Amino acid sequence: MIHKFKKFSKNIGRGLKQEYKETKEIPKHIKNREYKKAGEQIGDIGKMTFLSALWILPGGGIVSTTLVKFFKKLRPSSFVQEKEED
């Protein structure tokens, strides 16, 4: 159980770090006229904001985890894995 929690925490940390790096690149994408990449990253920021706001509410941790588990489109791009581990 503790091993799974540590693995989950590491994956969250890696995903957040990757999202941070991608967010810093938005001005570069706009400058290079790569509007689709910039738009996708802004969408990821919106997803992270929604899930973070939901997490703060009482019982929000359970609700947001359930939403992410069943609705794969709510996951930011850094948290989508090629092969899902169920």
Side-chain angles (χ1 to χ4, degrees), residues 51-63:
L51 291 173
S52 298
L54 189 61
W55 187 271
I56 293 171
L57 298 173
I62 296 169
V63 173

Side-chain angles (χ1 to χ4, degrees), residues 8-47:
F8 176 76
S9 297
K10 285 182 182 180
N11 288 337
I12 294 292
R14 278 190 224 122
L16 289 173
K17 189 181 288 186
Q18 183 63 31
E19 284 296 328
Y20 176 72
K21 288 178 184 177
E22 291 174 2
T23 300
K24 286 184 2 182
E25 294 176 357
I26 289 176
K28 185 174 82 172
H29 292 309
I30 292 173
K31 183 179 177 184
N32 295 335
R33 297 179 186 240
E34 297 172 344
Y35 300 120
K36 186 173 182 176
K37 288 182 182 179
E40 289 172 357
Q41 186 56 34
I42 290 171
D44 284 347
I45 292 170
K47 291 175 188 178

